[in-house]
Amino acid sequence: MRYRELGRTGLRVSQLCFGALTIGPLQRNLSPEEGSAVLLRALELGVNFVDTAEIYDTYDHIRLALERFPGRGQVVVATKSYAYTREGMLASLERAQRGLGQEVVPIFLLHEQESSHTLRGHWPALEVLLEAKEAGIVQAVGISTHHVPAVLAATAIPEIDVISPLINRTGIGIQGGGREDMLAAIAKAAREGKGIYAMKPLGGGHLLGEWAASLDYLLQIDEIHSIAVGMKSVAEVESNVAFFQGRRDLPAPAAATRRLHIEYWCTGCGSCVSACPNGSLALHNGRAVVAMPEECVYCGYCGASCPEFAIKVI
Ligand code: SF4
Ligand code: SF4
């Protein structure tokens, strides 16, 4: 496994980051026991970087794996919160500490920023993270985003250490510009010393059929220090680790077909439409519909926002 400095954070992370969205209730819905076994295998094989978020509901999975891993002190967990108030972020920080079973949360990000405007709106929450960094509770702070303008806005903020942008070979899911715009923004951010770890390298599953080419594409971009890959089985972990080690002798993960399912009891409240970072959903005749399926990256955020449990990735 190759390790890289994550910008100027002082953190050294594996080039393969374990994306924990996949094992949790928004996607594969493995139990904490099952999910921790998948993560533990990755840790045993040299992965020391784990990406999660409060909304993913995988703190229990991660805590169980860390409890069983002798080298847990070397593991860098990054989490994210949608909190935008001081009180909200204090609560998120406490949830992460309790959920992960550790005082220090290495990386804490503002989840899904869109522009300088949303960053301004989240400033009270960012201040809490900066205070936590000062106190040694958080080691690096930053943002995650699908949006090119947010990468550029975060680059201009000295307090931001880490950016997790959406980038992949076909540009699927990138907002506020195309693939080349995002690459240029990432290059600029890296030049400014930001730690960069890519999300959605496989377009949320759309590119699983081109798994090797998609990963190779990102591995060749020097400004990307790590790549978060969602893995939901030990076999997928072993295939991805082998690939990142330069081996090509294990099979690619099966290219499972994913789609969004909307139940008949959808009330048309619109919550999922607002929650979708990619504008994939719309309301039509009082129901949610997938208006732009090509933009959906199967993140599952719509499902998490639905009060009726009427929409999910299957
Ligand atoms: S429709 Fe749902 S799963 Fe697809 S990108 Fe939007 S929030 Fe994510
Ligand atoms: S959040 Fe749920 S109930 Fe509301 S429009 Fe979306 S699917 Fe329908």
Side-chain angles (χ1 to χ4, degrees), residues 159-291:
E159 291 90 342
I160 298 275
D161 306 305
V162 174
I163 301 174
S164 178
L166 188 157
I167 179 73
N168 54 57
R169 194 164 69 98
T170 62
I172 186 168
I174 295 171
Q175 305 296 305
R179 186 189 73 173
E180 296 309 310
D181 302 310
M182 185 60 99
L183 286 174
I186 286 171
K188 188 171 182 192
R191 277 198 303 277
E192 292 294 321
K194 310 299 184 191
I196 307 287
Y197 75 97
M199 68 156 117
K200 305 277 182 262
L202 302 168
H206 287 286
L207 305 177
L208 260 173
E210 304 148 61
W211 172 75
S214 299
L215 294 181
D216 264 336
Y217 172 78
L218 291 187
L219 282 168
Q220 286 161 21
I221 301 169
D222 193 52
E223 291 90 352
I224 295 175
H225 307 124
S226 184
I227 303 166
V229 181
M231 292 172 264
K232 55 188 182 304
S233 68
V234 166
E236 287 189 11
V237 166
E238 290 174 347
S239 292
N240 279 292
V241 168
F243 194 88
F244 275 69
Q245 289 172 334
R247 290 166 49 203
R248 299 291 185 269
D249 57 337
L250 289 174
T257 307
R258 287 185 183 154
R259 67 183 178 88
L260 275 174
H261 177 71
I262 301 171
E263 303 283 3
Y264 67 87
W265 60 78
C266 163
T267 62
C269 71
S271 174
C272 59
V273 179
S274 306
C276 175
N278 287 10
S280 298
L281 301 172
L283 291 178
H284 183 67
N285 291 336
R287 278 176 52 91
V289 294
V290 187

Side-chain angles (χ1 to χ4, degrees), residues 101-124:
Q102 55 188 41
E103 174 78 4
V104 175
V105 182
I107 300 176
F108 215 121
L109 309 180
L110 300 175
H111 201 158
E112 190 43 49
Q113 293 300 294
E114 296 179 7
S115 66
S116 58
H117 305 300
T118 57
L119 268 161
R120 256 197 304 279
H122 286 71
W123 202 260

Side-chain angles (χ1 to χ4, degrees), residues 54 81-97 103 105 107-110 119-142 159-161:
E54 189 172 291
S81 164
Y82 284 120
Y84 55 90
T85 62
R86 191 172 173 82
E87 297 69 30
M89 187 53 90
L90 283 168
S92 283
L93 190 53
E94 199 265 334
R95 266 194 292 276
Q97 289 176 298
E103 174 78 4
V105 182
I107 300 176
F108 215 121
L109 309 180
L110 300 175
L119 268 161
R120 256 197 304 279
H122 286 71
W123 202 260
L126 182 61
E127 280 180 336
V128 168
L129 295 180
L130 294 172
E131 289 162 14
K133 186 178 164 189
E134 193 69 30
I137 295 168
V138 169
Q139 290 167 278
V141 306
E159 291 90 342
I160 298 275
D161 306 305

